[in-house]
Amino acid sequence: MTEQPPAVVRGAVGVWFALGAFVLLTNVYLWLRRGALEESAIRAGHDPATVTGLLTQLTVVAVGFALGYGLFGWLLRLGRRWARGVLTAVAVVHVLWIVLPGASAVNLVTLLLIAVGLALTWLRGTAQWVKQH
């Protein structure tokens, strides 16, 4: 039987998984509101077809972040030291993706999850876990 990671590592992995799920769920919500978004585009004098293109782009990005958090979170659980650095890089890119265009309330939740995930990922207990493996 394999050794279970300490609570701090399980917490970090849980936050990364939750973040990936949250990113996907917010994207699903946008698709469910596509009609309202198209109506807003029409009122603003834009082509409503651009909404579908934008949602598709956002979906690709959301799936990329979710896969990154899930895969590298799992590798962190397995004790891969380098997974901490890759998770940090993915988180930094995600923060830039959020902050540069302007943050919203949903993005603040995402930023909070990123901050908690990074804190747990770089705590001493996590460092000791990956050092042993």
Side-chain angles (χ1 to χ4, degrees):
M1 185 168 237
T2 60
E3 179 185 1
Q4 288 293 322
V8 67
V9 174
R10 290 191 312 267
V13 172
V15 169
W16 293 123
F17 284 2
L19 180 57
F22 183 72
V23 168
L24 292 176
L25 287 174
T26 55
N27 191 265
V28 167
Y29 174 75
L30 288 174
W31 277 101
L32 292 174
R33 298 212 6 106
R34 183 172 134 199
L37 294 171
E38 288 173 343
E39 289 174 14
S40 294
I42 291 169
R43 281 194 303 273
H46 299 291
D47 181 10
T50 59
V51 171
T52 302
L54 181 59
L55 287 176
T56 302
Q57 291 173 6
L58 290 174
T59 300
V60 170
V61 171
V63 168
F65 282 127
L67 285 175
Y69 290 133
L71 173 65
F72 297 114
W74 182 255
L75 291 170
L76 176 66
R77 186 183 192 289
L78 295 177
R80 304 300 190 271
R81 182 182 297 189
W82 53 267
R84 295 190 316 157
V86 176
L87 279 166
T88 301
V90 171
V92 166
V93 170
H94 198 173
V95 167
L96 290 174
W97 175 262
I98 290 170
V99 173
L100 290 179
S104 68
V106 171
N107 291 337
L108 293 177
V109 172
T110 304
L111 291 171
L112 178 64
L113 286 170
I114 289 171
V116 171
L118 286 173
L120 292 172
T121 297
W122 289 98
L123 282 176
R124 181 178 299 171
T126 306
Q128 290 172 346
W129 168 254
V130 296
K131 188 176 182 181
Q132 294 172 1
H133 294 86

